[in-house]
Amino acid sequence: MAAVAAAVLATGCGGGDDGEAATAPSYYLSLGDSLAVGVQPDENGQPEETPDGYTDILHRTLYDSDSTLRHERAGCGGEDTTTFVEGGLPDCEERYESGSQLEEAEAFLAEHGGRVDLVTLTIGANNFTDCVDGVRGTGSGAAGPGGIGIDEECVADGLERVETEVPVIAERLRTAAGPDTQIIGMTYYNPFLALMLLDGDPAGEAGEAAGEEPGGDELAERAVGVLTQLNESLTASYSAAGIDVADVGTAFESTDDEVPADSGTGMPVNLQNVCDHTWMCDISRGPDIHTNEAGARKIAEVFAGQVD
């Protein structure tokens, strides 16, 4: 993006075609799932797209230093790694003339040549949303405490698809974008840490309650294990393709289960982050796995730290 700014300064005094070239737009292409399009629950707890996703916030931040930057918002809620590659998700297919989101991205990159400065990618979490029952936006599984359950066969299938399909996605995007366009993929936070609150105990007693009722604690622990495998696989695939990584999982301190001495709630760090930055602990609109506005800002900050 610094190169774009330099080009504008170098040609800004010219006229005619040079003037038009100086003001030609550059592009930020955002790809992925519901996080990429700002999905949050509405007042009735129903998911809806908003203009305040992390990609929108990131674009506004980058626009402050490059007013030619346009945001091509190409994500779609519900996409998993399979539908991202192959298409087939009814609510998303109508958005993509080229077939799938990946094919649409390749077409956009081909059409706009070297004018795409940045591509961001959020994909993989929906491989697992059908593996959990009892949380808004997820599918079905064997019911556990409080009606929450994890389907282990579904988890195994989701991980296998991440391990086989994300490398394909990463390589195809890198090939389509070329070596000079920065691509950043993200790891995920763990909304299912809120399973530690299954027993309905006051938030301030969450740390003790987890020990009293092993059901919720064990489910949360399993969710941590799945997230760790997911994020390690995403990081390896992105790095192998020359894609930078926005480590959202680390930013949300997803594996830190210590309760700070000065905590006002008694929650461990990772659970507190989930409650502060998602709708999982909200009893009016949730539980819902998506970030709230604070969470979207947090993710945007992680991405901004990786932008060249």
Side-chain angles (χ1 to χ4, degrees), residues 41-65:
D42 63 18
E43 292 182 357
N44 297 314
Q46 298 302 308
E48 64 175 1
E49 291 189 16
T50 75
D52 295 310
Y54 85 81
T55 61
D56 306 295
I57 295 169
L58 178 61
H59 173 246
R60 291 193 287 266
T61 299
L62 299 175
Y63 185 86
D64 287 342
S65 58

Side-chain angles (χ1 to χ4, degrees), residues 63-98:
Y63 185 86
D64 287 342
S65 58
D66 180 6
S67 61
T68 72
L69 187 66
R70 295 183 181 176
H71 182 193
E72 183 69 14
R73 201 174 190 248
C76 186
E79 289 273 57
D80 62 16
T81 57
T82 303
T83 62
F84 188 92
V85 175
E86 300 176 0
L89 195 63
D91 290 342
C92 297
E93 278 194 325
E94 61 187 25
R95 302 188 183 198
Y96 306 128
E97 293 181 1
S98 299

Side-chain angles (χ1 to χ4, degrees), residues 6 19 30 41 60 71 82 116 135 147 186 201 212 240 251 284 289 296 308:
S30 63
R60 291 193 287 266
H71 182 193
T82 303
V116 180
V135 178
M186 69 169 259
D201 292 278
E212 295 169 6
S284 61
I289 62 176
D308 292 337

Side-chain angles (χ1 to χ4, degrees), residues 145 195-196 198-199 201 208-219:
L195 295 175
M196 285 189 283
L198 274 175
D199 307 316
D201 292 278
E208 295 180 14
E212 295 169 6
E213 282 292 335
D217 189 43
E218 288 174 2
L219 288 170

Side-chain angles (χ1 to χ4, degrees), residues 189-195 252 254 267-282 288-292:
Y189 60 92
N190 187 356
F192 300 112
L193 288 166
L195 295 175
F252 273 68
S254 297
M267 290 185 184
V269 171
N270 51 7
L271 176 56
Q272 187 69 62
N273 268 311
V274 167
C275 288
D276 288 345
H277 297 103
T278 78
W279 295 94
M280 283 297 288
C281 305
D282 187 287
D288 186 282
I289 62 176
H290 297 100
T291 56
N292 53 27

Side-chain angles (χ1 to χ4, degrees), residues 138-151:
T138 65
S140 62
I148 306 290
I150 295 179
D151 181 337

